[in-house]
Amino acid sequence: MINLPILPILIPLVAAIVLLFLSKNVQAQRIVSAAAAAFTIIAAFAVMMKVEAEGIQTVDMGSWPAPFGITLVSDMLSIMLVLTASIITFCVILYSFRSIGSGREAFYYYPIVQFLLVGVNGSFTTGDIFNLFVFFEIMLMSSYVLIVIGGTKVQLRESIKYILVNVISSAIFVIAVGYLYSVTGSLNMAHISARISEIGAEPIITVLAILFLIVFGLKGGIFPLYFWLPGSYAAPPAPVLALFGALLTKVGVYAILRTYTLFFYHDQAFTHDILSLLALLTMIAGSIGALAYKDVKQILIYNIIIAVGVLLFGIAVMTEESVAGTIFYLVHDMIIKGGLFLLGGIMIYAAGTSNLTKMGGLIRLYPALGWTFLIAAFALAGIPPLSGFTGKLLIVRAGFEAGEYVGAIIVLLSSLAVLYSVVNLFMAVFWKNPENKLPEEKKQTASLFIPAAILVVLSVLYGVGTEAVYPYVMQAVDALIHPEIYIDAVLKE
Amino acid sequence: MEILMCIIAGLLFAAAVYLMLSKSLLRIIIGTGLLSHGTHLMLLTMGGLKTGAVPVLGEHASAYTDPIPQALILTAIVISFGVTAVFLVIAYRAYQEIGTDNMEQMRGMETDD
C-alpha cells in the first residue's frame, strides 16, 4: 500500500482521539493505548521492511507533487527511529499501568502519551521544514502537559521554566524557517537542499546553520543550551521521565543530523568545527554532572547529556563511518535510556527515596532488578558484547582517522565517566549497607520490572546482533552521506 | 518597507528579551507574547512585501501577494495561542500552589527528595 509511511503517525493520532472519549474508564484506556502502541510497532516494522526492499518511501499528501505539497519521507534512518520510539512508548505504557496512579490516568494521561508519539513519529518522518516545526510543537505541547500532570509544587515550578525555554526556541525556529524561506523560496527539505547547493557556500547559509543549531541544540540539550534539562527532567514521575529521556532530546539530535547532512554540508570547515567543539564541551559538562550528584535521577539525566555529546561528535566528524556510528549509537541510546529510567523508577519506588546516601542493600530483596540494572549500566558504557559498543567504536575510529584526536579521546574518557557514575549508582543502591533501616518486606515490582526488562533485553539483542542490524544502518548512512538519493526520491526527477 | 518592518520586529524582540529577563512571571509571559508578535511579523516580512492583490483568485489581478507566509503565520499564531493559554493557566496554578510570582523564589533543588 502506497500510504504505508503515514500509519505510524495516524494510528497513535486516532487512538489519542478515541481515548479522549474514554477518560473515566481507566481499564478501557489501558487496553486501547497498549493495543494502539502495539499496532504502531507493527506498522513501523512493515514500513521498515518496505524501505529495506524498495528504498526510500515517500507520500505526497493530497497528491500534490513534491515541492508544492507536504511530503512524508521514510528513509531508513527515520523509520528505524520511528520503530524504536514506538517500542519505547509501548514499554512505557505497560509500565504506567502500575506506576502512574489512577488520578493521572483519569486525567488524559494515555491520550497525551499517544499525542507525544504522534509528534515524535511525525518529526522523524516529515519532509517539510515547517511541518517539522508543527510536529515539534505537537510533541512539546504534549510534553508540557506530561511534565505538569499531577500538579505537585516541583512539577509546576519546573514546567514554567521548561515551557519558557521551549517557547523561546520555537520562536527562533520560526524565524529560522522564515530566513530559510526568504533565501531559498521553498519549504520542502529536499527542494531546499537542491536550492542551497545551487547557491553554494554563501555566508547567509552559514548563519542559518548556526541558527538551526541553536534551535535544535535547545531541544537536544547541547553544551551551553542544556541548562534547563536537569531541573525539568527531575520533576515528572519515572515513566514520563523515561519517555522524555529516550525520545525528546533524540528528536533534536535527529534534526541536527538531518539538517547538517541535507542542508548545511557546503562550508563544513566552519560549522563542523563548531559542532565538534560544542560536542566536546557537552560531554565534559555531562560527565561533571554525572559524577557530581548523589541522586538516582540526576545521575541518569546527566548521562543523557553525555550521550548527546557523543552523538554530536559523530555528526561533526561527518565521514561515512562516523555517521554509521552515530546511527548505531542513537538507536542504542534511545532503548537503553528508556530501560534505565524505568529501572531507576523501580529503584526509587523500592527504596522510597532517590537519594543515594539513604539507599543500599537492595540486592537482597530485588536480585533480578539489580543484575538487570548492572547489564543496562554496562551496555550504557559500551562494554563489548552489549549495545553501546559498536556505535562508540565506529565514532572513535572515525574520529582518529579524521585527525580529531582530542575529541576521540574525550569520547573514550566520557565512557569512563559514564561507567563510573552508573556502577557507583549500582554499588550504592544495591550493595552498600544502608545507614537507615530499609523496609523489610518486599514491594511488588514484577509488573513494573517486565517492561523495563524488555528494553534491556532488546538492547542486549541489539548489541549481540550487530551483524543483523548492520545492513539497515548502512542503508541509512547511504542516504545521509549522499543527499542526492534523498532529493531524487522526493522530487522524482 | 522591509527595512522598516525589520526594525520594528527587532524592537519587539528587544522588548521581549528585556521582559523575559525580569523577575515577575507575568512580565515574562507578556514577553513571550511580544516575542511571538515579532516572529510573525518577521515571517511576513521574509516572504516579501511587494504590492499585489490579496491571494484570492476572484480578484483577477496580474500579481498576488505570496500566500505561503500567510498560511505559515496563521499556523504559528494558533500554536502560540495554545501555548500561551497553557502557560497562563500553569502560571495561575503555580501562583495558587507556591504563593509567589517571583522567579527568584522558584529555585529548585532545596526540597527535591
Side-chain angles (χ1 to χ4, degrees):
Chain A
M1 201 166 68
I2 196 161
N3 289 336
L4 210 53
I6 201 177
L7 281 183
I9 306 171
L10 201 61
I11 293 171
L13 180 64
V14 173
I17 293 168
V18 170
L19 285 169
L20 289 177
F21 294 101
L22 302 174
S23 66
K24 295 298 166 233
N25 187 344
V26 170
Q27 201 57 40
Q29 281 202 73
R30 289 175 173 180
I31 294 167
V32 171
S33 56
F39 280 124
T40 314
I41 295 175
I42 294 168
F45 194 74
V47 181
M48 190 160 121
M49 289 299 112
K50 183 115 170 154
V51 172
E52 198 231 349
E54 298 168 23
I56 298 174
Q57 298 289 309
T58 64
V59 182
D60 296 326
M61 305 311 292
S63 298
W64 289 93
F68 304 114
I70 288 173
T71 311
L72 296 183
V73 187
S74 273
D75 67 346
M76 191 42 98
L77 171 65
S78 45
I79 195 61
M80 276 173 86
L81 296 177
V82 165
L83 181 62
T84 316
S86 309
I87 292 172
I88 290 165
T89 310
F90 179 68
C91 291
V92 168
I93 287 172
L94 292 187
Y95 187 92
S96 306
F97 291 169
R98 259 299 300 285
S99 81
I100 201 72
S102 55
R104 289 192 176 99
E105 277 182 317
F107 267 93
Y108 304 101
Y109 172 77
Y110 292 114
I112 301 296
V113 170
Q114 296 290 340
F115 276 126
L116 187 81
L117 187 61
V118 172
V120 170
N121 282 353
S123 306
F124 287 144
T125 312
T126 186
D128 182 287
I129 194 79
F130 196 78
N131 197 230
L132 179 68
F133 163 73
V134 174
F135 275 122
F136 260 99
E137 287 302 312
I138 294 173
M139 176 181 90
L140 290 171
M141 202 100 78
S142 322
S143 71
Y144 301 155
V145 180
L146 283 178
I147 206 170
V148 83
I149 191 170
T152 61
K153 275 186 188 177
V154 183
Q155 283 179 304
L156 283 165
R157 198 180 60 204
E158 295 304 332
S159 66
I160 287 173
K161 298 165 193 169
Y162 180 73
I163 294 176
L164 180 61
V165 167
N166 281 304
V167 165
I168 295 169
S169 82
S170 299
I172 304 174
F173 195 177
V174 176
I175 294 166
V177 169
Y179 287 163
L180 194 62
Y181 180 73
S182 79
V183 172
T184 62
S186 181
L187 294 168
N188 182 296
M189 278 151 70
H191 197 215
I192 291 173
S193 173
R195 287 271 177 91
I196 287 180
S197 60
E198 283 165 25
I199 303 167
E202 286 275 322
I204 183 74
I205 301 295
T206 312
V207 172
L208 277 171
I210 299 303
L211 210 52
F212 274 104
L213 182 64
I214 293 171
V215 173
F216 298 136
L218 264 169
K219 318 265 187 205
I222 68 177
F223 165 65
L225 308 169
Y226 74 95
F227 54 86
W228 55 272
L229 196 146
S232 301
Y233 278 22
V240 176
L241 175 57
L243 271 184
F244 283 17
L247 304 183
L248 293 195
T249 53
K250 306 308 180 292
V251 179
V253 172
Y254 164 81
I256 293 176
L257 182 58
R258 182 62 81 194
T259 48
Y260 273 71
T261 52
L262 196 58
F263 297 171
F264 310 119
Y265 57 93
H266 301 284
D267 185 18
Q268 292 201 359
F270 181 72
T271 52
H272 288 63
D273 274 2
I274 286 191
L275 266 185
S276 106
L277 181 67
L278 290 180
L280 302 189
L281 292 171
T282 310
M283 281 185 272
I284 293 170
S287 304
I288 292 172
L291 297 178
Y293 278 92
K294 292 250 172 282
D295 182 280
V296 177
K297 278 185 177 176
Q298 291 297 337
I299 290 174
L300 296 178
I301 286 169
Y302 276 99
N303 272 306
I304 301 178
I305 298 171
I306 302 177
V308 169
V310 173
L311 291 167
L312 205 62
F313 180 70
I315 298 171
V317 175
M318 196 56 81
T319 61
E320 198 165 335
E321 196 173 28
S322 82
V323 173
T326 310
I327 296 170
F328 261 116
Y329 199 73
L330 187 56
V331 174
H332 143 79
D333 194 59
M334 287 170 77
I335 298 175
I336 201 71
K337 284 285 148 50
L340 272 175
F341 279 114
L342 294 184
L343 289 171
I346 305 174
M347 279 148 53
I348 294 170
Y349 169 71
T353 172
S354 73
N355 192 331
L356 280 191
T357 51
K358 292 178 189 162
M359 299 166 103
L362 284 187
I363 197 82
R364 272 171 248 148
L365 291 177
Y366 308 94
L369 176 66
W371 299 122
T372 313
F373 182 80
L374 190 67
I375 292 172
F378 283 161
L380 184 70
I383 307 275
L386 300 167
S387 63
F389 175 68
T390 323
K392 256 184 199 161
L393 176 73
L394 291 173
I395 290 175
V396 168
R397 206 162 66 183
F400 277 120
E401 270 167 20
E404 300 253 8
Y405 298 111
V406 183
I409 289 169
I410 289 186
V411 172
L412 291 174
L413 290 178
S414 81
S415 311
L416 221 53
V418 169
L419 186 64
Y420 179 81
S421 68
V422 280
V423 169
N424 191 29
L425 189 62
F426 173 78
M427 306 234 291
V429 175
F430 289 100
W431 277 358
K432 185 190 69 179
N433 276 323
E435 284 167 24
N436 313 358
K437 204 103 176 78
L438 270 182
E440 278 300 315
E441 88 282 20
K442 186 174 184 300
K443 285 181 186 166
Q444 202 45 255
T445 56
S447 55
L448 294 175
F449 178 66
I450 290 166
I454 292 174
L455 286 176
V456 176
V457 168
L458 262 181
S459 131
V460 171
L461 290 180
Y462 181 72
V464 175
T466 303
E467 206 66 35
V469 185
Y470 193 72
Y472 296 93
V473 173
M474 288 326 283
Q475 197 181 348
V477 171
D478 207 32
L480 285 180
I481 293 288
H482 307 289
E484 314 86 63
I485 299 177
Y486 185 95
I487 296 170
D488 288 345
V490 175
L491 298 182
K492 300 187 182 72
E493 277 160 1
Chain B
M1 190 61 190
E2 275 92 346
I3 292 179
L4 188 65
M5 290 283 271
C6 286
I7 292 169
I8 292 170
L11 288 175
L12 280 171
F13 287 143
V17 170
Y18 177 74
L19 282 172
M20 286 191 294
L21 290 174
S22 58
K23 283 183 189 173
S24 157
L25 187 49
L26 218 49
R27 284 166 72 101
I28 291 175
I29 298 177
I30 293 170
T32 62
L34 289 183
L35 184 70
S36 63
H37 283 327
T39 310
H40 301 149
L41 212 57
M42 205 65 200
L43 207 52
L44 191 69
T45 314
M46 285 294 117
L49 296 173
K50 295 170 286 296
T51 44
V54 288
V56 176
L57 283 178
E59 296 283 315
H60 300 295
S62 56
Y64 293 95
T65 51
D66 190 350
I68 288 183
Q70 302 187 13
L72 302 188
I73 291 166
L74 196 60
T75 313
I77 285 174
V78 290
I79 289 175
S80 66
F81 202 53
V83 173
T84 309
V86 170
F87 202 179
L88 278 168
V89 171
I90 288 179
Y92 177 62
R93 281 283 296 152
Y95 179 69
Q96 284 182 325
E97 285 280 325
I98 305 173
T100 177
D101 77 329
N102 189 338
M103 290 302 282
E104 290 277 305
Q105 292 168 8
M106 287 200 203
R107 293 178 185 231
M109 308 316 283
E110 79 280 0
T111 54
D112 293 356
D113 199 280

